[in-house]
């Protein structure tokens, strides 16, 4: 399942009703959330510097001991948001039935529409 997550770009917009943190509004850009997170961290961290901003931009130089590699690997690390899209269900719409056979189309078109997923955990709010 982790492989199905994709990175959100800074200009993409989220709408979160419940469980929201840091943001006063339910709708906000990813960049606004990352800025708010950086602000909270900088207020808590006595040694915050411009270099620490790398956590939210270009990344900080680091070494990681990763499971797939043998030993330490050099690189950069940064904080980003990921999104996992829920699969959308397709419902087949019935073609209208005509009383007169001569009015029926010569072929049957099948039309599919997208149905928004039902969020069971949010039923009381959505």
């Amino acid at each position: 399942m982790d492989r199905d997550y994709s990175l959100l770009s800074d200009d993409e917009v989220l709408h979160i009703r419940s469980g929201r943190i840091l943001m006063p509004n339910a709708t906000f850009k990813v960049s606004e959330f990352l800025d708010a997170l950086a602000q909270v961290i900088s207020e808590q961290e006595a040694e915050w510097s411009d270099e620490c901003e790398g956590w939210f931009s270009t990344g900080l130089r680091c070494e990681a001991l990763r499971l797939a590699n043998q030993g330490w690997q050099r690189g950069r690390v940064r904080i980003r948001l990921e999104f996992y899209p829920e699969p959308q269900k397709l419902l087949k719409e019935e073609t209208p039935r005509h009383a007169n056979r001569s009015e029926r189309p010569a072929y049957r078109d099948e039309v599919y529409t997208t149905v928004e997923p039902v969020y069971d955990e949010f039923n009381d709010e959505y």
Side-chain angles (χ1 to χ4, degrees):
M1 186 164 133
D2 282 344
R3 292 181 184 177
D4 295 331
Y5 277 85
S6 60
L7 289 177
L8 292 172
S9 71
D10 288 347
D11 288 330
E12 292 185 279
V13 177
L14 298 173
H15 178 79
I16 300 176
R17 284 190 186 254
S18 66
R20 186 176 67 245
I21 56 172
L22 300 176
M23 303 306 294
N25 300 320
T27 304
F28 51 89
K29 283 185 171 184
V30 168
S31 61
E32 293 173 325
F33 178 81
L34 293 173
D35 288 345
L37 181 59
Q39 183 66 35
V40 168
I41 294 171
S42 70
E43 290 170 359
Q44 298 295 318
E45 182 64 40
E47 296 182 21
W48 187 265
S49 66
D50 288 340
E51 186 177 85
C52 295
E53 294 290 330
W55 278 105
F56 300 94
S57 58
T58 59
L60 295 176
R61 293 189 51 76
C62 69
E63 292 182 31
L65 184 56
R66 303 187 66 192
L67 298 176
N69 294 346
Q70 294 181 1
W72 291 92
Q73 182 179 11
R74 291 184 181 162
R76 292 187 166 271
V77 64
R78 68 179 175 179
I79 297 172
R80 307 305 294 164
L81 290 181
E82 294 181 340
F83 176 72
Y84 176 79
E86 292 186 354
Q88 295 183 352
K89 297 177 184 175
L90 293 178
L91 294 181
K92 183 175 166 183
E93 288 184 357
E94 297 284 329
T95 55
R97 297 193 175 186
H98 300 283
N100 186 346
R101 286 187 178 262
S102 62
E103 294 178 13
R104 282 191 183 173
Y107 57 90
R108 181 180 171 136
D109 287 329
E110 293 182 349
V111 179
Y112 292 87
T113 58
T114 302
V115 176
E116 290 295 319
V118 176
Y119 297 98
D120 293 332
E121 65 269 21
F122 302 123
N123 273 344
D124 56 333
E125 295 182 18
Y126 277 88

